[in-house]
């Protein structure tokens, strides 16, 4: 009784420790200020697609181990019992009376047999090699899936950061709009401006408020999408910390170095080469059909009655056999012809796919590099544009204060300045995104 109590107590303690460990782990992550690194770690742990990918990798490894068992002997035990009738022999024709012969009616046997492949033309060895390469390909695909998830999470973070920066910009404009409304109302009280100008400034605030609300909803939607990517529970509240996401210090080496890195590190390159190895092994396996197959084996049995003598004797007997079997499938001399041709064509196809994949990677690297260069140039242009828009807004605002310009001109200048600030935010974040996309393309991410 004490043993049962102690076992239950041990199980309860173990369960409590597991639950406490899980609770502490969840407490370590601040979901109210989730960082990019924490999001990547959480995604790699929780994402269903990554879990499926890891399971497929484990299945490939299991299949490889299973195929290795083919080298082991096949061992079989067989037993049977039969009740046999007496024998009736029709010596004078089937329709005449038959002659009856009494025989031993009960028959049984116990047989233990074993066989092991000695030579199968290399089929077993090459099949094991194929399974090993399949496991390596599965591991590469798992790594590719993880990189794709990282890129997806980074893109989501940059999107949320973009929305937050735009919302912050609109928020500043709303504060400025409120100040402008007070000033215009003061001017209206002094009879300097008309009601129309008060309404126009109020309309500007309304438009900015509407944009702020739309951006706020977009942020919530983007964070919910990220939560789905991370496979977090629906009731888990989550907000991301997008500080320090943008860096102006990203340096990119020459295109030749990037291309070389991509051809060495991109998983699709290695997968295409391993696919060629699979096709070459397929050809060897098909070629083995031309070769003989040799197996060794034996059996040991106990049978009753003794049918080795004639007439049979009513005694049980034991007998063992050991030997070698050779089989040569003659029909494969003509049946295997087109299988070999198909195998050669598959090898040619795999080689072409390697060349095609290399060309695609070279272009992808070139495209990603040029897009990054383009965003670099756009940042410089946007910085110049924002200086011009800011100066224009200052001039028009001064003119309006001196009644040298209309309210519409001031609003247009304000909108142009807002658009320039918004464009600068967008191109800077897009530059960071293109940098990550380039790193993903060459296999560094």
């Amino acid at each position: 009784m004490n043993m049962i109590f102690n076992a239950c107590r041990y199980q309860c303690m173990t369960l409590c420790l597991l639950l406490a460990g899980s609770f502490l782990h969840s407490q370590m992550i601040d979901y109210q200020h989730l960082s990019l690194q924490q999001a990547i770690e959480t995604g790699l742990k929780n994402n269903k697609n990554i879990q499926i990918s890891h399971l497929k990798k484990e299945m490939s490894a299991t299949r490889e181990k299973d195929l290795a068992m083919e080298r082991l002997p096949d061992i079989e035990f067989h037993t049977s019992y039969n009740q046999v009738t007496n024998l009736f022999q029709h010596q004078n024709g089937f329709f005449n009376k038959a002659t009856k012969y009494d025989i031993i009616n009960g028959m049984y046997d116990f047989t233990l047999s074993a066989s092991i492949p000695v030579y199968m033309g290399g089929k077993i060895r090459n099949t094991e090699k194929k399974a090993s390469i399949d496991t390596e390909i599965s591991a590469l695909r798992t790594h590719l899936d993880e990189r794709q998830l990282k890129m997806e999470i980074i893109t989501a973070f940059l999107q949320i950061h973009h929305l937050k920066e735009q919302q912050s910009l609109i928020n500043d404009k709303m504060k400025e709009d409120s100040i402008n409304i007070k000033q215009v109302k003061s001017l209206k009280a002094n009879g300097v401006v008309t009601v129309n100008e008060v309404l126009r400034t109020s309309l500007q605030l309304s438009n900015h408020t509407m944009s702020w609300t739309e951006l706020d909803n977009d942020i919530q939607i983007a964070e919910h999408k990220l939560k789905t990517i991370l496979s977090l529970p629906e009731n888990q509240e989550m907000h991301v910390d997008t500080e320090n996401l943008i860096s102006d210090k990203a340096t990119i080496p020459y295109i030749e170095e990037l291309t070389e890195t991509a051809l060495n590190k991109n998983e699709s390159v290695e997968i295409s080469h391993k696919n060629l190895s699979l096709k070459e092994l397929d050809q060897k396996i098909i070629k083995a059909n031309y070769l003989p197959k040799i197996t060794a084996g034996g059996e040991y049995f106990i049978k009753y009655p003794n049918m080795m003598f004639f007439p049979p004797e009513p005694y049980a007997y034991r007998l063992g056999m050991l030997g070698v079997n050779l089989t040569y499938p003659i029909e494969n001399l003509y049946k295997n012809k087109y299988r070999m041709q198909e195998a050669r064509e598959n090898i040619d196809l795999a080689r072409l796919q390697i060349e095609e994949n290399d060309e695609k990677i070279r272009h992808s690297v070139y495209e990603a590099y040029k897009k990054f260069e383009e965003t670099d140039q756009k940042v410089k242009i946007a910085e110049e544009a924002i200086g011009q828009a800011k100066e224009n807004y200052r001039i028009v605002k001064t003119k309006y204060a001196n009644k040298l310009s209309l309210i519409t001109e001031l609003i247009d200048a304000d909108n142009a300045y807002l658009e320039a600030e918004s464009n600068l935010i967008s191109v800077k974040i897009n530059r960071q995104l293109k940098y990550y996309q380039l790193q993903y393309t060459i296999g560094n991410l």
Side-chain angles (χ1 to χ4, degrees):
M1 187 70 181
N2 288 332
M3 291 179 64
I4 296 174
F5 175 75
N6 289 333
C8 292
R9 184 172 65 180
Y10 174 76
Q11 291 176 352
C12 291
M13 289 175 63
T14 304
L15 181 61
C16 290
L17 287 172
L18 289 172
L19 291 173
S22 176
F23 176 76
L24 288 173
H25 176 72
S26 64
Q27 292 299 307
M28 289 170 62
I29 299 177
D30 183 8
Y31 288 106
Q32 297 302 313
H33 303 89
L34 187 67
S35 69
L36 176 59
Q37 185 59 37
Q38 289 175 328
I40 290 174
E41 291 173 0
T42 303
L44 292 176
K45 180 182 176 182
N46 295 346
N47 185 268
K48 298 298 183 293
N49 187 50
I50 298 300
Q51 291 178 6
I52 290 170
S53 187
H54 279 286
L55 183 57
K56 286 181 178 179
K57 184 175 72 173
E58 291 172 8
M59 290 168 64
S60 295
T62 303
R63 183 172 180 273
E64 183 182 353
K65 294 175 183 177
D66 178 58
L67 288 171
M69 303 296 287
E70 293 296 318
R71 291 183 178 273
L72 301 179
D74 295 329
I75 302 174
E76 184 179 80
F77 174 76
H78 171 266
T79 184
S80 67
Y81 175 82
N82 296 291
Q83 190 67 30
V84 185
T85 65
N86 291 324
L87 190 148
F88 294 88
Q89 181 172 292
H90 296 271
Q91 295 172 320
N92 301 316
F94 186 76
F95 295 103
N96 295 318
K97 186 177 179 181
T99 303
K100 177 183 177 183
Y101 295 92
D102 292 331
I103 63 170
I104 301 170
N105 300 112
M107 305 177 86
Y108 63 83
D109 79 280
F110 301 93
T111 304
L112 182 66
S113 61
S115 65
I116 187 170
V118 177
Y119 177 74
M120 305 297 288
K123 270 191 174 183
I124 295 176
R125 182 179 68 255
N126 290 321
T127 303
E128 288 177 355
K129 287 181 179 178
K130 277 191 65 178
S132 176
I133 292 174
D134 280 333
T135 302
E136 292 171 2
I137 290 175
S138 182
L140 287 169
R141 285 177 175 157
T142 299
H143 190 254
L144 178 60
D145 287 341
E146 289 175 347
R147 292 205 308 114
Q148 288 175 340
L149 178 65
K150 289 179 184 178
M151 189 66 233
E152 197 173 351
I153 293 171
I154 289 170
T155 303
F157 260 75
L158 288 174
Q159 180 189 6
I160 294 169
H161 181 63
H162 179 257
L163 292 170
K164 284 185 174 182
E165 288 292 303
Q166 296 287 355
Q167 188 183 44
S168 176
L169 179 61
I170 294 294
N171 192 59
D172 291 341
K173 285 297 178 183
M174 288 167 61
K175 292 177 182 178
E176 189 176 338
D177 289 340
S178 298
I179 295 172
N180 288 340
I181 289 172
K182 289 180 181 179
Q183 291 176 346
V184 173
K185 283 183 177 180
S186 175
L187 293 172
K188 167 67 174 61
N190 294 326
V192 178
V193 299
T194 63
V195 177
N196 180 54
E197 296 189 23
V198 176
L199 294 174
R200 289 299 300 270
T201 52
S202 299
L203 180 60
Q204 184 81 336
L205 176 61
S206 298
N207 290 336
H208 288 159
T209 304
M210 190 180 300
S211 298
W212 188 94
T213 304
E214 185 179 347
L215 287 167
D216 191 58
N217 287 331
D218 288 342
I219 290 170
Q220 294 179 43
I221 293 169
E223 288 188 332
H224 187 274
K225 181 181 178 181
L226 177 61
K227 187 167 72 172
T228 304
I229 294 171
L230 302 181
S231 296
L232 293 176
E234 188 64 29
N235 58 357
Q236 175 67 61
E237 188 176 354
M238 185 205 76
H239 300 289
V240 301
D241 180 9
T242 60
E243 295 296 324
N244 302 320
L245 278 181
I246 308 301
S247 173
D248 296 328
K249 299 179 181 180
T251 56
I252 300 297
Y254 294 109
I255 183 70
E256 292 79 10
E257 295 178 31
L258 294 172
T259 304
E260 184 179 354
T261 303
L263 292 175
N264 289 330
K265 298 184 71 172
N266 194 291
E267 294 87 355
S268 63
V269 176
E270 197 168 349
I271 288 173
S272 62
H273 280 88
K274 290 187 180 298
N275 184 54
L276 174 60
S277 299
L278 288 177
K279 300 306 179 185
E280 290 172 343
L281 288 171
D282 282 336
Q283 185 184 39
K284 291 179 180 179
I285 291 170
I286 294 170
K287 192 175 182 179
N289 292 334
Y290 289 122
L291 303 174
K293 297 173 180 59
I294 302 173
T295 58
E299 62 180 16
Y300 189 84
F301 54 78
I302 299 174
K303 292 187 178 183
Y304 175 88
N306 186 353
M307 304 292 288
M308 301 294 286
F309 296 153
F310 185 79
E313 295 188 356
Y315 307 110
Y317 72 100
R318 293 177 298 167
L319 187 65
M321 293 186 291
L322 189 66
V324 177
N325 296 321
L326 185 147
T327 305
Y328 187 81
I330 297 174
E331 72 276 4
N332 282 338
L333 292 174
Y334 53 88
K335 283 188 174 181
N336 215 38
K337 176 182 177 182
Y338 293 108
R339 295 174 192 160
M340 284 296 296
Q341 181 179 338
E342 184 181 4
R344 287 191 294 269
E345 291 169 350
N346 282 331
I347 290 173
D348 293 338
L349 177 62
R351 285 174 179 157
L352 286 172
Q353 287 173 338
I354 288 174
E355 294 175 7
E356 181 190 28
N357 188 60
D358 286 355
E359 291 172 357
K360 285 182 177 179
I361 287 176
R362 290 177 186 276
H363 175 70
S364 296
V365 172
Y366 178 80
E367 182 180 7
Y369 179 77
K370 297 303 288 185
K371 287 293 182 183
F372 178 77
E373 275 191 338
E374 177 186 319
T375 55
D376 218 20
Q377 295 168 359
K378 282 184 176 179
V379 168
K380 296 175 182 177
I381 295 170
E383 287 173 343
E384 292 176 3
I386 200 170
Q388 296 165 355
K390 183 178 182 180
E391 179 62 18
N392 178 61
Y393 177 64
R394 186 192 65 80
I395 293 171
V396 174
K397 192 173 184 181
T398 303
K399 285 184 177 180
Y400 179 76
N402 296 320
K403 298 308 297 172
L404 297 174
S405 66
L406 301 174
I407 187 65
T408 53
E409 293 176 329
L410 178 62
I411 291 174
D412 289 341
D414 183 37
N415 288 337
Y417 184 32
L418 175 62
E419 185 179 356
E421 289 181 299
S422 176
N423 284 340
L424 182 60
I425 292 170
S426 298
V427 294
K428 280 189 173 182
I429 293 175
N430 191 42
R431 179 183 185 274
Q432 193 69 36
L433 176 61
K434 295 304 179 185
Y435 171 77
Y436 281 120
Q437 287 176 344
L438 179 58
Q439 296 300 313
Y440 171 78
T441 303
I442 65 176
N444 277 345
L445 183 61

